[in-house]
Amino acid sequence: MAEKKDYYEILGVNRSASDSEIKKAYRLLAKKYHPDVNSGDKAAEARFKEVSQAYEVLSDPQKKARYDQFGHAGVDPNGFGGFGGFEDFDLGGFGDIFESFFGNMGFGTSGRRRNGPQKGADLKVSVTISFEEAAFGVEKEVSVSRFEDCSDCKGTGASEGTQPETCDNCKGTGQVQYRQNTPLGQFVNVRTCSQCQGEGKVIKNPCTSCSGQGRIRKTRRVKVQIPAGIDDDQVISLRGEGDPGVRGGPPGDLYIVVDVKPHSLFKREGYNVICEVPITFTQAALGAELEIPTLDGKVRYEIPEGTQTGTVFRLKNKGIQSLRGHGRGDQYVKINIEVPKSLTDRQKELLREFAELTGEEAHDMRRSFFEKMKDALGM
């Protein structure tokens, strides 16, 4: 049997990682290896299951405590020498002895019935939106593949005119007990009923539409309201939109990971927007009225004479809406002076004439630089 990988190693975190660090690592890996993103990639699917299993253990305080203490044996239902795990082990009169050994480490002392209500599975999908949609908010529809109650059998799993019957092997409990001799004495071991698989009921005439499962998988379109100001890789949760619960349990939740496409002109820093604007040497030297793109459309902005490359101007309240509704960020416009690459002979002649006319007096930064260089080098 292949040795199981360390769960901390799978998520890429150390053993002292906080809950938030574990959660963040899981989200990044789950998004990377999700089957919806890697359709048909068996290796990615296996990796996704591995990551999900590791997170299931490390995100549960009790399971994590057992794993830290005993490794995989502490969370494996068949661990601890085949006793079936402490959750399915009837300790009888030895409960006090075991508690003195292990203390309050989360080991149950009574069998857990599987035929009670169970919450449905949580689901995760991703949605891609534009930069502007992230800034102002948008309503989207996402495709969700989830289980739904079979319409033919109304979720019972039994064919029309029949009902599931009580299992005669476990008498509806979903569990069977048997005695086992161990070095510590005789114990009553509790196992899941093999005849009904712990359901407590058996279906003798299964529904042909769902093969007795009581539910079938369907793809539905679900509307989601994406709020203004959301950022790339943030997650929106829709309560109750996951898989339906089992035996009257509540439905799971739907988690939507937002993927924001990059913009050709704008970059985001928090709730602020950065935009670089190229201008000519003439515009920089003489000043000019520029047409600046913003998320709200074009605006006119007057730059002064002698504007230098790298100069940044601020356009107040032209950034992105705060997620909490506390106003908008700003837009910062960075000026880049573009130097022409191809000049005619006449243009070169005029530039040389301009250089002769201006001399060093017109270039304060250049003159200051050479003065500093002389001081530094002792020239």
Short mmCIF file of all heavy atoms in Angstrom, two decimals, residues 101-149:
data_model
loop_
_atom_site.label_atom_id
_atom_site.label_comp_id
_atom_site.label_asym_id
_atom_site.label_seq_id
_atom_site.Cartn_x
_atom_site.Cartn_y
_atom_site.Cartn_z
N PHE A 101 -6.54 8.05 29.31
CA PHE A 101 -5.39 8.00 28.42
C PHE A 101 -5.37 9.19 27.46
O PHE A 101 -4.35 9.83 27.24
CB PHE A 101 -5.40 6.71 27.59
CG PHE A 101 -5.00 5.49 28.36
CD1 PHE A 101 -5.69 4.29 28.19
CD2 PHE A 101 -3.95 5.54 29.26
CE1 PHE A 101 -5.33 3.16 28.89
CE2 PHE A 101 -3.58 4.41 29.96
CZ PHE A 101 -4.27 3.21 29.79
N PHE A 102 -6.53 9.49 26.86
CA PHE A 102 -6.56 10.44 25.75
C PHE A 102 -7.13 11.80 26.12
O PHE A 102 -6.94 12.77 25.39
CB PHE A 102 -7.38 9.85 24.59
CG PHE A 102 -6.77 8.60 24.03
CD1 PHE A 102 -7.37 7.36 24.25
CD2 PHE A 102 -5.61 8.65 23.31
CE1 PHE A 102 -6.81 6.21 23.74
CE2 PHE A 102 -5.04 7.50 22.78
CZ PHE A 102 -5.64 6.28 23.00
N GLY A 103 -7.87 11.89 27.22
CA GLY A 103 -8.42 13.17 27.62
C GLY A 103 -9.45 13.65 26.62
O GLY A 103 -10.02 12.90 25.84
N ASN A 104 -9.67 14.96 26.59
CA ASN A 104 -10.68 15.55 25.71
C ASN A 104 -10.05 15.89 24.37
O ASN A 104 -9.72 17.03 24.09
CB ASN A 104 -11.26 16.81 26.36
CG ASN A 104 -12.39 17.37 25.54
OD1 ASN A 104 -12.98 16.66 24.73
ND2 ASN A 104 -12.69 18.64 25.74
N MET A 105 -9.86 14.87 23.53
CA MET A 105 -9.22 15.08 22.23
C MET A 105 -10.20 14.91 21.09
O MET A 105 -9.83 14.84 19.93
CB MET A 105 -8.05 14.11 22.03
CG MET A 105 -6.92 14.35 22.99
SD MET A 105 -5.56 13.26 22.62
CE MET A 105 -5.19 13.74 20.96
N GLY A 106 -11.46 14.84 21.39
CA GLY A 106 -12.45 14.78 20.32
C GLY A 106 -12.83 13.39 19.90
O GLY A 106 -13.50 13.20 18.90
N PHE A 107 -12.40 12.32 20.62
CA PHE A 107 -12.77 10.97 20.26
C PHE A 107 -14.16 10.68 20.83
O PHE A 107 -14.39 10.78 22.02
CB PHE A 107 -11.78 9.95 20.83
CG PHE A 107 -10.42 10.05 20.21
CD1 PHE A 107 -9.39 10.70 20.86
CD2 PHE A 107 -10.19 9.51 18.96
CE1 PHE A 107 -8.15 10.78 20.29
CE2 PHE A 107 -8.95 9.59 18.38
CZ PHE A 107 -7.92 10.23 19.04
N GLY A 108 -15.08 10.29 19.96
CA GLY A 108 -16.42 9.97 20.42
C GLY A 108 -16.44 8.63 21.15
O GLY A 108 -15.61 7.77 20.90
N THR A 109 -17.39 8.45 22.03
CA THR A 109 -17.49 7.20 22.77
C THR A 109 -18.77 6.46 22.45
O THR A 109 -19.13 5.52 23.14
CB THR A 109 -17.42 7.46 24.29
OG1 THR A 109 -18.46 8.35 24.65
CG2 THR A 109 -16.08 8.05 24.67
N SER A 110 -19.48 6.91 21.42
CA SER A 110 -20.69 6.20 21.04
C SER A 110 -20.78 6.14 19.53
O SER A 110 -20.22 6.98 18.83
CB SER A 110 -21.92 6.92 21.60
OG SER A 110 -22.02 8.21 21.08
N GLY A 111 -21.47 5.12 19.01
CA GLY A 111 -21.60 4.95 17.56
C GLY A 111 -22.34 6.13 16.95
O GLY A 111 -23.24 6.71 17.56
N ARG A 112 -21.98 6.47 15.71
CA ARG A 112 -22.62 7.57 15.02
C ARG A 112 -23.53 6.99 13.94
O ARG A 112 -23.10 6.29 13.04
CB ARG A 112 -21.57 8.47 14.37
CG ARG A 112 -22.18 9.63 13.58
CD ARG A 112 -21.10 10.44 12.91
NE ARG A 112 -20.26 11.08 13.89
CZ ARG A 112 -19.15 11.74 13.57
NH1 ARG A 112 -18.75 11.82 12.33
NH2 ARG A 112 -18.41 12.30 14.53
N ARG A 113 -24.78 7.31 14.01
CA ARG A 113 -25.73 6.78 13.04
C ARG A 113 -25.64 7.58 11.75
O ARG A 113 -25.59 8.80 11.77
CB ARG A 113 -27.15 6.84 13.60
CG ARG A 113 -27.35 5.91 14.77
CD ARG A 113 -28.78 5.93 15.24
NE ARG A 113 -29.69 5.57 14.15
CZ ARG A 113 -30.96 5.25 14.36
NH1 ARG A 113 -31.45 5.21 15.57
NH2 ARG A 113 -31.73 4.95 13.34
N ARG A 114 -25.66 6.84 10.62
CA ARG A 114 -25.56 7.48 9.32
C ARG A 114 -26.92 7.79 8.71
O ARG A 114 -27.00 8.43 7.68
CB ARG A 114 -24.79 6.58 8.35
CG ARG A 114 -23.34 6.38 8.69
CD ARG A 114 -22.67 5.52 7.66
NE ARG A 114 -22.90 6.02 6.31
CZ ARG A 114 -22.70 5.31 5.21
NH1 ARG A 114 -22.29 4.07 5.30
NH2 ARG A 114 -22.92 5.84 4.02
N ASN A 115 -28.01 7.28 9.31
CA ASN A 115 -29.30 7.44 8.67
C ASN A 115 -30.07 8.64 9.20
O ASN A 115 -31.28 8.70 9.08
CB ASN A 115 -30.14 6.16 8.77
CG ASN A 115 -30.33 5.71 10.22
OD1 ASN A 115 -29.73 6.29 11.12
ND2 ASN A 115 -31.14 4.69 10.42
N GLY A 116 -29.37 9.61 9.81
CA GLY A 116 -30.01 10.85 10.22
C GLY A 116 -29.86 11.91 9.14
O GLY A 116 -29.26 11.68 8.11
N PRO A 117 -30.43 13.09 9.35
CA PRO A 117 -30.32 14.17 8.35
C PRO A 117 -28.85 14.56 8.12
O PRO A 117 -28.06 14.64 9.05
CB PRO A 117 -31.10 15.31 9.00
CG PRO A 117 -32.00 14.66 10.00
CD PRO A 117 -31.24 13.47 10.51
N GLN A 118 -28.51 14.80 6.86
CA GLN A 118 -27.16 15.23 6.50
C GLN A 118 -27.23 16.44 5.58
O GLN A 118 -28.05 16.48 4.66
CB GLN A 118 -26.41 14.10 5.80
CG GLN A 118 -26.11 12.90 6.69
CD GLN A 118 -25.36 11.81 5.93
OE1 GLN A 118 -24.87 12.04 4.84
NE2 GLN A 118 -25.27 10.64 6.53
N LYS A 119 -26.36 17.40 5.83
CA LYS A 119 -26.29 18.59 4.98
C LYS A 119 -25.76 18.21 3.60
O LYS A 119 -24.89 17.35 3.46
CB LYS A 119 -25.39 19.64 5.61
CG LYS A 119 -25.27 20.92 4.79
CD LYS A 119 -24.30 21.90 5.40
CE LYS A 119 -24.16 23.13 4.50
NZ LYS A 119 -23.18 24.11 5.02
N GLY A 120 -26.30 18.85 2.57
CA GLY A 120 -25.84 18.61 1.21
C GLY A 120 -24.43 19.14 1.00
O GLY A 120 -23.94 19.99 1.75
N ALA A 121 -23.77 18.66 -0.04
CA ALA A 121 -22.40 19.06 -0.33
C ALA A 121 -22.34 20.51 -0.83
O ALA A 121 -23.23 20.98 -1.53
CB ALA A 121 -21.80 18.13 -1.38
N ASP A 122 -21.29 21.21 -0.42
CA ASP A 122 -21.03 22.55 -0.95
C ASP A 122 -20.45 22.42 -2.36
O ASP A 122 -19.70 21.48 -2.65
CB ASP A 122 -20.04 23.31 -0.07
CG ASP A 122 -20.61 23.61 1.31
OD1 ASP A 122 -21.84 23.69 1.43
OD2 ASP A 122 -19.82 23.77 2.26
N LEU A 123 -20.76 23.36 -3.21
CA LEU A 123 -20.27 23.35 -4.58
C LEU A 123 -19.47 24.62 -4.85
O LEU A 123 -19.65 25.63 -4.19
CB LEU A 123 -21.44 23.25 -5.58
CG LEU A 123 -22.36 22.04 -5.43
CD1 LEU A 123 -23.51 22.13 -6.42
CD2 LEU A 123 -21.59 20.75 -5.61
N LYS A 124 -18.60 24.53 -5.85
CA LYS A 124 -17.78 25.69 -6.20
C LYS A 124 -17.71 25.83 -7.72
O LYS A 124 -17.47 24.86 -8.44
CB LYS A 124 -16.37 25.54 -5.63
CG LYS A 124 -15.46 26.75 -5.92
CD LYS A 124 -14.06 26.51 -5.40
CE LYS A 124 -14.01 26.53 -3.89
NZ LYS A 124 -12.64 26.43 -3.37
N VAL A 125 -17.94 27.05 -8.20
CA VAL A 125 -17.80 27.36 -9.62
C VAL A 125 -17.05 28.68 -9.73
O VAL A 125 -16.86 29.40 -8.74
CB VAL A 125 -19.17 27.47 -10.34
CG1 VAL A 125 -19.91 26.15 -10.29
CG2 VAL A 125 -20.01 28.58 -9.72
N SER A 126 -16.62 29.02 -10.94
CA SER A 126 -15.94 30.30 -11.16
C SER A 126 -16.70 31.10 -12.20
O SER A 126 -17.40 30.53 -13.06
CB SER A 126 -14.49 30.07 -11.61
OG SER A 126 -14.45 29.33 -12.81
N VAL A 127 -16.57 32.41 -12.14
CA VAL A 127 -17.20 33.30 -13.11
C VAL A 127 -16.19 34.37 -13.51
O VAL A 127 -15.46 34.90 -12.67
CB VAL A 127 -18.48 33.95 -12.53
CG1 VAL A 127 -18.17 34.80 -11.30
CG2 VAL A 127 -19.20 34.79 -13.57
N THR A 128 -16.12 34.65 -14.81
CA THR A 128 -15.18 35.65 -15.32
C THR A 128 -15.94 36.92 -15.66
O THR A 128 -16.97 36.90 -16.34
CB THR A 128 -14.47 35.12 -16.59
OG1 THR A 128 -13.76 33.92 -16.26
CG2 THR A 128 -13.48 36.14 -17.12
N ILE A 129 -15.41 38.05 -15.16
CA ILE A 129 -16.04 39.35 -15.42
C ILE A 129 -14.99 40.34 -15.90
O ILE A 129 -13.78 40.12 -15.73
CB ILE A 129 -16.75 39.91 -14.16
CG1 ILE A 129 -15.74 40.12 -13.02
CG2 ILE A 129 -17.87 38.98 -13.72
CD1 ILE A 129 -16.36 40.78 -11.79
N SER A 130 -15.44 41.44 -16.49
CA SER A 130 -14.52 42.46 -16.97
C SER A 130 -14.08 43.38 -15.84
O SER A 130 -14.65 43.37 -14.75
CB SER A 130 -15.19 43.29 -18.07
OG SER A 130 -16.24 44.07 -17.53
N PHE A 131 -13.06 44.19 -16.11
CA PHE A 131 -12.55 45.15 -15.13
C PHE A 131 -13.66 46.12 -14.73
O PHE A 131 -13.84 46.43 -13.55
CB PHE A 131 -11.37 45.91 -15.76
CG PHE A 131 -10.56 46.71 -14.79
CD1 PHE A 131 -9.43 46.17 -14.19
CD2 PHE A 131 -10.91 48.01 -14.47
CE1 PHE A 131 -8.67 46.91 -13.30
CE2 PHE A 131 -10.16 48.76 -13.58
CZ PHE A 131 -9.03 48.22 -12.99
N GLU A 132 -14.43 46.60 -15.74
CA GLU A 132 -15.50 47.56 -15.46
C GLU A 132 -16.62 46.92 -14.64
O GLU A 132 -17.19 47.55 -13.75
CB GLU A 132 -16.08 48.11 -16.77
CG GLU A 132 -15.15 49.05 -17.52
CD GLU A 132 -14.18 48.31 -18.44
OE1 GLU A 132 -14.13 47.06 -18.38
OE2 GLU A 132 -13.48 48.97 -19.20
N GLU A 133 -16.94 45.65 -14.93
CA GLU A 133 -17.99 44.97 -14.17
C GLU A 133 -17.58 44.79 -12.71
O GLU A 133 -18.42 44.88 -11.81
CB GLU A 133 -18.29 43.62 -14.81
CG GLU A 133 -19.03 43.73 -16.14
CD GLU A 133 -19.17 42.41 -16.86
OE1 GLU A 133 -18.32 41.51 -16.63
OE2 GLU A 133 -20.10 42.26 -17.66
N ALA A 134 -16.29 44.55 -12.47
CA ALA A 134 -15.81 44.44 -11.09
C ALA A 134 -15.90 45.79 -10.39
O ALA A 134 -16.18 45.86 -9.19
CB ALA A 134 -14.37 43.94 -11.08
N ALA A 135 -15.68 46.87 -11.14
CA ALA A 135 -15.70 48.20 -10.54
C ALA A 135 -17.11 48.65 -10.18
O ALA A 135 -17.33 49.27 -9.13
CB ALA A 135 -15.06 49.21 -11.50
N PHE A 136 -18.09 48.33 -11.03
CA PHE A 136 -19.44 48.86 -10.84
C PHE A 136 -20.46 47.81 -10.42
O PHE A 136 -21.59 48.14 -10.09
CB PHE A 136 -19.91 49.53 -12.13
CG PHE A 136 -19.09 50.74 -12.52
CD1 PHE A 136 -18.30 50.71 -13.64
CD2 PHE A 136 -19.10 51.88 -11.74
CE1 PHE A 136 -17.53 51.80 -14.00
CE2 PHE A 136 -18.35 52.99 -12.08
CZ PHE A 136 -17.54 52.96 -13.21
N GLY A 137 -20.08 46.53 -10.43
CA GLY A 137 -21.02 45.48 -10.07
C GLY A 137 -21.81 45.02 -11.30
O GLY A 137 -21.98 45.77 -12.26
N VAL A 138 -22.29 43.79 -11.25
CA VAL A 138 -23.02 43.23 -12.39
C VAL A 138 -23.78 41.99 -11.94
O VAL A 138 -23.40 41.35 -10.94
CB VAL A 138 -22.03 42.86 -13.53
CG1 VAL A 138 -21.13 41.72 -13.12
CG2 VAL A 138 -22.77 42.52 -14.81
N GLU A 139 -24.84 41.67 -12.62
CA GLU A 139 -25.55 40.41 -12.37
C GLU A 139 -25.13 39.41 -13.44
O GLU A 139 -25.15 39.71 -14.63
CB GLU A 139 -27.06 40.63 -12.42
CG GLU A 139 -27.86 39.36 -12.08
CD GLU A 139 -29.36 39.56 -12.12
OE1 GLU A 139 -29.93 39.54 -13.23
OE2 GLU A 139 -29.96 39.76 -11.05
N LYS A 140 -24.76 38.22 -13.02
CA LYS A 140 -24.31 37.18 -13.94
C LYS A 140 -25.10 35.90 -13.69
O LYS A 140 -25.70 35.72 -12.62
CB LYS A 140 -22.82 36.90 -13.73
CG LYS A 140 -21.89 38.00 -14.24
CD LYS A 140 -21.77 37.96 -15.75
CE LYS A 140 -20.72 38.94 -16.24
NZ LYS A 140 -20.56 38.89 -17.70
N GLU A 141 -25.05 35.02 -14.67
CA GLU A 141 -25.60 33.69 -14.51
C GLU A 141 -24.47 32.68 -14.61
O GLU A 141 -23.59 32.81 -15.46
CB GLU A 141 -26.64 33.39 -15.60
CG GLU A 141 -28.01 33.99 -15.33
CD GLU A 141 -29.06 33.44 -16.28
OE1 GLU A 141 -28.69 32.75 -17.25
OE2 GLU A 141 -30.25 33.68 -16.04
N VAL A 142 -24.46 31.72 -13.71
CA VAL A 142 -23.44 30.67 -13.74
C VAL A 142 -24.12 29.32 -13.89
O VAL A 142 -25.25 29.12 -13.42
CB VAL A 142 -22.58 30.68 -12.45
CG1 VAL A 142 -21.76 31.96 -12.37
CG2 VAL A 142 -23.44 30.52 -11.20
N SER A 143 -23.45 28.40 -14.57
CA SER A 143 -23.96 27.04 -14.72
C SER A 143 -23.50 26.20 -13.54
O SER A 143 -22.30 26.16 -13.24
CB SER A 143 -23.44 26.42 -16.02
OG SER A 143 -23.98 27.10 -17.14
N VAL A 144 -24.44 25.56 -12.89
CA VAL A 144 -24.14 24.74 -11.71
C VAL A 144 -24.67 23.33 -11.94
O VAL A 144 -25.86 23.14 -12.22
CB VAL A 144 -24.77 25.34 -10.44
CG1 VAL A 144 -24.42 24.49 -9.23
CG2 VAL A 144 -24.32 26.77 -10.23
N SER A 145 -23.78 22.36 -11.84
CA SER A 145 -24.18 20.96 -11.93
C SER A 145 -24.38 20.43 -10.52
O SER A 145 -23.42 20.34 -9.74
CB SER A 145 -23.10 20.15 -12.66
OG SER A 145 -23.45 18.78 -12.71
N ARG A 146 -25.62 20.13 -10.19
CA ARG A 146 -25.91 19.68 -8.82
C ARG A 146 -27.00 18.62 -8.83
O ARG A 146 -27.73 18.45 -9.80
CB ARG A 146 -26.35 20.87 -7.97
CG ARG A 146 -27.63 21.53 -8.42
CD ARG A 146 -27.92 22.79 -7.65
NE ARG A 146 -29.16 23.44 -8.10
CZ ARG A 146 -29.53 24.66 -7.74
NH1 ARG A 146 -28.77 25.36 -6.92
NH2 ARG A 146 -30.65 25.18 -8.18
N PHE A 147 -27.10 17.90 -7.72
CA PHE A 147 -28.13 16.89 -7.58
C PHE A 147 -29.48 17.55 -7.28
O PHE A 147 -29.54 18.58 -6.59
CB PHE A 147 -27.79 15.91 -6.46
CG PHE A 147 -26.72 14.92 -6.83
CD1 PHE A 147 -25.46 15.00 -6.25
CD2 PHE A 147 -26.96 13.92 -7.75
CE1 PHE A 147 -24.46 14.10 -6.60
CE2 PHE A 147 -25.99 13.01 -8.09
CZ PHE A 147 -24.74 13.10 -7.52
N GLU A 148 -30.52 16.94 -7.79
CA GLU A 148 -31.88 17.36 -7.48
C GLU A 148 -32.74 16.12 -7.27
O GLU A 148 -32.45 15.05 -7.83
CB GLU A 148 -32.46 18.23 -8.60
CG GLU A 148 -31.74 19.55 -8.77
CD GLU A 148 -32.42 20.45 -9.78
OE1 GLU A 148 -33.49 20.05 -10.31
OE2 GLU A 148 -31.90 21.54 -10.05
N ASP A 149 -33.78 16.25 -6.47
CA ASP A 149 -34.67 15.11 -6.23
C ASP A 149 -35.27 14.62 -7.55
O ASP A 149 -35.67 15.42 -8.40
CB ASP A 149 -35.80 15.50 -5.27
CG ASP A 149 -35.31 15.65 -3.84
OD1 ASP A 149 -34.21 15.16 -3.55
OD2 ASP A 149 -36.03 16.25 -3.02
#
